[in-house]
Amino acid sequence: MCGIFGLVSDKPVKAAMTVVACLRKLDYRGYDSWGVAVRDNQNLFIHKDVGPVPPDAETQIPDLQSTIAIGHTRWATHGGVTRLNAHPHTSQNNKITIVHNGIVENFQELKEELAGRNYKFITETDTEVIANLIEDESKDGMPLEESVRRAFNRLEGRNAVVVMRSGEDKLVAVKTGSPLIIGLTDGARYIASDIPVLLQFTREMVFLEDGEMAVLDGGFRLYDAASGKEKKFEKSHIEWTVEDAEKGDFPHFLIKEILDQKWSVKNAANQKKESVMELAQMINNAYGTYMVGCGTAAHACRAATYIFSKIAQKHINFCIGSEFPYFEFFLKQNSLLIAASQSGETADILDAVKAARNKKAVVASLVNVIGSTLMRMSDKHLLLNAGPEKAVLSTKAFTSKLALFYLLAYSVKGKYEYGMQRINAVSDALNKMLTEEFLSSMQALARTLAAGKDIYILGRGLSYPIALEGAHKIKEATYIHAEGFAGGEPKHCEISLVSQGTPAIIIAPNDETRHAIINNAMEFKARGACIIGISPKKEPVFDYWIQVPDLGEESAIVNVIPMQLIAYYAALELGYNPDKPRNLAKSLTVK
Ligand code: GLU
């Protein structure tokens, strides 16, 4: 969602230009307007606009040497998408300038209170309330950090803010919920809402915890926001490289990341054996295990229930992140929640974790972003090791989660080594499958599918969550109505919607679901559907056959990939930017 970037430098630099370049790197998160604030001695310049950061943004902002600047990409929650509502926002006396991610849940009360003290508001945002609250607390020569701290402690909800005050070379940042990361170098200090944008400056980073406040000036200090007491901080070394976070020669992040699966699936299993075994042991000892995820991660968690059932003969519960708190009642101290999240910042997942914590249940996570809130909130975590995932559509993080679930299921049965062999076999097969020829055939198929209105996707058993995920990808990228089903279900309803030529993708691995799913395909075909089979074996019912390798239990990993490719190529065919689906954002930090 919203992106934040700021810097304080020892010497004057083209700070606003740096901020704008960094906002561009944050733009994969999905946003609707942007802005930058830069100071030249006493003069503050703010430039903001709706839409994406344009290619000529640098010509619109003052080309001045400065030691301090902040910028923001907004995903509107309070107030329309207008230039006025875009960040940065200033307080009434123009002295406080702020960028903000999140929602001030009690903003109405605070606004009324400030209005009672003669504060006037010119925007519809909750952010302007924070700016004025800090101004209000800034009276009588109060240090900026103390004013920010006092104001921040009055906010309800999940918020991250970065603040500057006129005449001071200092940024104060504080947060609950949304991520803020600090990059420290010899000549400058940087703050951003995510890791990749900081990699060009440093790989030594400090992750701000909830309730912590950072002060960036000639140095760096960390405080507890509640008490104001200074705290020690630890730097984390980030393994990701600048190249990992760029698209290189690829036209879009989405296709790069789909093809990254050639190595990322194997990398998911690149864990310390003891660490995997520890989580497997936790699953074995738990009173009940709950896999919890949102969106694509939810499909991976649903898949986990089938994987554990078959490979480990273990019952695992599945719940969508936003629904989990309503099931809190049956949790016990030895219940185990395993939360899966690419970003580790999804608000609904963090709420699920809080619900589990309320009942003192154990929390584990599978997460891609090192240092993320989820990772830090977990008793135990495994990293997906998929490298930065920047396309809004999650692809490699999905298959990495599947790979880890397989490995865990085998480990629960004491078959860790065999699990490793299987993941390596999948990775090898996937490398053979993803040829230029295969991509071209998916592109040709996508061209046909892009002309239609609906796509139905059917799978049974483990292929059912794969069908859901396939439909999810196609909807996200193309806005075509796509629906995934458990193969036995449409005869109760949706088969009535099938007409001549309706495309139906049938996932038919060589497993116990094969006969029944082929029969379901026949039922669709009898009503005019055009059958596209994803299968290692050709069947007479298929009008079009997508040949995938037979990987036994692990086939689910390769079966989802053709649908990722169809989503990508169909989006191109329809003239949409596959990296930036409308209304969607990468990391959903609001509820
Ligand atoms: N609630 C703020 C607004 O609507 C912040 C939005 C964001 O996180 O981008 O402006």
Side-chain angles (χ1 to χ4, degrees), residues 441-475:
S441 69
M442 288 303 103
Q443 184 159 22
L445 176 62
R447 213 167 279 145
T448 320
L449 292 174
K453 273 193 4 258
D454 310 287
I455 300 174
Y456 294 105
I457 307 176
L458 274 61
R460 284 177 167 255
L462 176 53
S463 300
Y464 164 46
I466 301 305
L468 294 177
E469 173 56 10
H472 192 118
K473 288 291 87 78
I474 293 171
K475 279 183 281 197

Side-chain angles (χ1 to χ4, degrees), residues 84-339:
L84 198 60
N85 286 336
H87 302 212
H89 289 287
T90 48
S91 65
Q92 182 159 283
N93 66 9
N94 268 323
K95 291 201 167 144
I96 303 294
T97 306
I98 168 174
V99 288
H100 164 223
N101 179 14
I103 293 175
V104 181
E105 286 173 5
N106 57 337
F107 92 103
Q108 203 57 48
E109 292 145 61
L110 293 171
K111 194 169 183 174
E112 280 160 25
E113 180 190 315
L114 287 163
R117 293 205 286 279
N118 283 327
Y119 281 90
K120 305 269 181 296
F121 292 86
I122 56 169
T123 78
E124 300 160 284
T125 63
D126 47 346
T127 309
E128 194 184 6
V129 173
I130 313 177
N132 281 330
L133 206 55
I134 299 171
E135 176 183 319
D136 205 53
E137 296 284 1
S138 285
K139 304 274 155 64
D140 312 321
M142 184 80 77
L144 177 60
E145 47 270 48
E146 188 54 20
S147 317
V148 172
R149 193 181 77 76
R150 290 183 186 200
F152 191 78
N153 286 335
R154 300 209 50 208
L155 309 182
E156 285 169 20
R158 276 199 190 85
N159 296 286
V161 295
V162 180
V163 187
M164 58 192 226
R165 186 160 70 181
S166 57
E168 294 178 48
D169 274 356
K170 181 191 280 185
L171 289 179
V172 177
V174 59
K175 71 139 207 153
T176 48
S178 306
L180 282 176
I181 303 138
I182 292 122
L184 300 173
T185 68
D186 277 346
R189 281 129 311 268
Y190 303 90
I191 185 154
S193 49
D194 64 0
I195 299 170
V197 69
L198 291 171
L199 291 170
Q200 62 190 303
F201 306 110
T202 178
R203 286 162 80 185
E204 306 301 318
M205 301 185 192
V206 179
F207 294 91
L208 214 56
E209 300 274 355
D210 281 356
E212 285 183 346
M213 179 174 73
V215 178
L216 289 73
D217 46 19
F220 171 72
R221 293 176 304 288
L222 193 68
Y223 297 88
D224 176 75
S227 65
K229 285 213 180 88
E230 191 166 348
K231 292 176 77 173
K232 285 211 172 85
F233 63 87
E234 267 177 43
K235 286 189 204 166
S236 304
H237 179 77
I238 306 299
E239 295 293 343
W240 293 353
T241 65
V242 179
E243 294 72 43
D244 289 340
E246 302 291 342
K247 15 182 221 275
D249 292 336
F250 291 96
H252 298 99
F253 280 110
L254 183 55
I255 187 69
K256 170 187 179 276
E257 289 163 10
I258 292 174
L259 297 177
D260 276 352
Q261 292 171 114
K262 288 182 184 179
W263 56 262
S264 62
V265 166
K266 199 172 193 157
N267 236 27
N270 188 7
Q271 311 280 343
K272 285 204 181 94
K273 180 179 174 185
E274 310 81 76
S275 193
V276 176
M277 291 312 295
E278 193 189 331
L279 185 50
Q281 202 54 49
M282 286 164 79
I283 296 170
N284 266 329
N285 295 343
Y287 173 72
T289 300
Y290 303 85
M291 301 289 187
V292 179
C294 300
T296 289
H299 301 318
C301 288
R302 193 192 286 272
T305 63
Y306 290 93
I307 293 172
F308 276 82
S309 161
K310 192 147 175 220
I311 293 177
Q313 295 83 52
K314 186 111 197 138
H315 174 68
I316 297 285
N317 299 280
F318 155 68
C319 194
I320 292 168
S322 56
E323 289 295 309
F324 188 75
Y326 309 119
F327 288 109
E328 174 188 331
F329 314 101
F330 52 61
L331 293 177
K332 302 265 184 293
Q333 280 198 8
N334 50 352
S335 305
L336 172 65
L337 172 92
I338 301 185

